[in-house]
Amino acid sequence: MTAAMPTAVLLSPPPPTPGTAVPIVGGLTILERQTRQVRRAGIARVLVVDDAPLDWATLNDDIIVIDLGVVLDDRIVAAIASAVAPAIATWSAASGRGAERIDATDTAAGIARYPAALVRDTAATLGDWDLVPTLLRAALIAGATRIDCSGLPLFDAGLGRDVALVWARPETADGAEPATAALIASAEPGCRDAPGRWIEGPAEDAAARLLLPLQVSGDAVALAAIGIAVAAGVCFALGWMWVGLLLSLLCGPLAGLATKLARVRVEAARIGGAAIELAPYGWFAAVAGHFAATGVISAWPVAALLTGFMLAERVQRSFFRHFTGKPLDLSGTYEARFGLVAARRGTLLWAWLAFALFGAWYAGFVALAAYATASFFVAQWRTFKRLAAR
């Protein structure tokens, strides 16, 4: 039976002393990050405790308490939100992580779920003791379940890879920098082609560091990417090949940046990156239209070959993921290496750039069609091989 939805209680930090800065992690204060995370986990009632006392007797449902200043991974919050009280998120003491030592083997991760009765009874007899550590001890005595964070699933379906859990407790603005870096790294998608991994990815990370403090939303960047994608298609149709190619090369990093900003800031991404992944089909159709207008009668068949095999490989990879639960690139070493050079948006555009440098635009277009054809058949071979092995 599903547990009742709890109330989240968050602890507000005291005002900063003169000359000190509040730690900002991923463009947010830690309290704001915690608030967004518990709301994302489906917890509608969130109470922030500051100097004013909280009347615990008014709380009748389970209560999730998050320690002051703890940066948690969304999956840790979700695990506690779905647990049966009393439950405490823990790390192994050997991991070096944790907000408070429990015993020789475990440390508390800084988030726990308590029955309302336990919280009321503990608060009533608190005296001079601090509530959070006292609640922790009371729950342990009551036989609380320990949810080992290291045992939580690491595979992120949205990113298509295993993602290490993020946990930190920065006390200063300087100490928040590593936590921000960890959050940005945790937003990196898996199964990227070579340009995405070594060119676009580092550019996205650098841009994210600049934009996170400015509160530029991921949706705003995604809209800019879509606008540039449309402009690239128009340029290709008009025969402005260099402008179109440069704009299309810019779209990928912008789409990746939009996703990273949304994930790091715990924002809902209302404008997805699918538009940018589908944009090459429109770009290549526009290119074919331009070449056909200049008298190249084979342009449309070449475009059909190129986009047809691109789409076929995309469908084939989706088929593999549907049946196995993971991308083809993660099925083995060969597949991972092939994924770096498979015919995707980045590899196709950067390969075309090599031809463009010599003015061989149409020859490059034909080469892209051959590239996409070969990539499809290699992916098909590996798909059948891996499915047969299962």
Side-chain angles (χ1 to χ4, degrees):
M1 184 172 64
T2 304
M5 189 54 62
T7 296
V9 174
L10 312 180
L11 306 181
S12 177
T17 58
T20 62
V22 175
I24 301 295
V25 177
L28 302 172
T29 65
I30 297 176
L31 180 61
E32 177 62 22
R33 175 171 300 280
Q34 293 174 349
T35 302
R36 294 186 182 190
Q37 286 181 306
V38 293
R39 291 196 185 281
R40 172 174 284 184
I43 302 172
R45 190 180 186 190
V46 181
L47 302 177
V48 177
V49 179
D50 48 22
D51 292 335
L54 177 64
D55 186 1
W56 299 98
T58 63
L59 303 179
N60 297 316
D61 298 324
D62 287 352
I63 298 168
I64 289 180
V65 178
I66 301 182
D67 285 11
L68 178 66
V70 176
V71 177
L72 296 166
D73 194 284
D74 284 352
R75 288 163 289 183
I76 300 176
V77 178
I80 290 295
S82 62
V84 176
I88 301 167
T90 64
W91 288 105
S92 167
S95 70
R97 293 177 166 185
E100 182 176 350
R101 190 67 171 258
I102 293 177
D103 52 30
T105 60
D106 292 331
T107 58
I111 180 171
R113 179 168 182 158
Y114 304 113
L118 177 65
V119 176
R120 288 195 299 267
D121 293 345
T122 304
T125 59
L126 190 60
D128 294 331
W129 296 94
D130 290 335
L131 178 63
V132 172
T134 306
L135 266 177
L136 177 65
R137 300 299 169 187
L140 290 170
I141 293 173
T145 301
R146 300 189 188 188
I147 298 178
D148 183 6
C149 294
S150 62
L152 295 178
L154 296 182
F155 183 74
D156 188 309
L159 296 177
R161 69 179 180 94
D162 288 344
V163 181
L165 295 176
V166 175
W167 191 96
R169 197 175 193 180
E171 298 180 356
T172 64
D174 291 340
E177 288 298 323
T180 296
L183 287 171
I184 294 174
S186 71
E188 179 70 20
C191 304
R192 301 192 75 164
D193 55 25
R197 179 175 298 185
W198 292 309
I199 299 176
E200 295 179 1
E204 294 163 6
D205 293 349
R209 289 180 177 276
L210 292 175
L211 294 182
L212 282 170
L214 302 180
Q215 297 301 306
V216 177
S217 71
D219 282 346
V221 177
L223 278 174
I226 292 173
I228 292 174
V230 172
V234 172
C235 290
F236 282 134
L238 294 174
W240 302 346
M241 305 301 287
W242 268 113
V243 179
L245 181 55
L246 293 177
L247 289 178
S248 62
L249 286 170
L250 183 60
C251 289
L254 284 177
L257 172 62
T259 301
K260 288 180 179 178
L261 289 176
R263 290 182 70 98
V264 171
R265 288 214 201 94
V266 201
E267 294 175 339
R270 291 177 290 272
I271 302 175
I276 301 303
E277 293 304 314
L278 296 176
Y281 300 97
W283 295 337
F284 295 140
V287 169
H290 162 67
F291 284 132
T294 61
V296 183
I297 60 175
S298 61
W300 284 114
V302 170
L305 193 67
L306 169 56
T307 57
F309 277 111
M310 284 175 59
L311 180 60
E313 183 175 346
R314 185 183 185 92
V315 171
Q316 186 169 246
R317 289 178 178 275
S318 297
F319 171 84
F320 183 88
R321 183 164 183 167
H322 174 75
F323 277 92
T324 66
K326 290 193 175 184
L328 178 63
D329 291 7
L330 299 184
S331 62
T333 302
Y334 184 95
E335 289 77 10
R337 293 173 178 172
F338 169 65
L340 294 174
V341 296
R344 298 171 182 168
R345 173 190 48 78
T347 49
L348 289 170
L349 291 176
W350 283 93
W352 202 18
L353 177 62
F355 287 88
L357 293 173
F358 297 96
W361 289 98
Y362 188 68
F365 194 52
V366 174
L368 295 190
Y371 190 172
T373 304
S375 180
F376 166 77
F377 284 110
V378 173
Q380 186 177 56
W381 164 47
R382 300 312 298 182
T383 296
F384 288 158
K385 184 178 180 63
R386 289 300 175 184
L387 289 179
R390 291 172 64 89

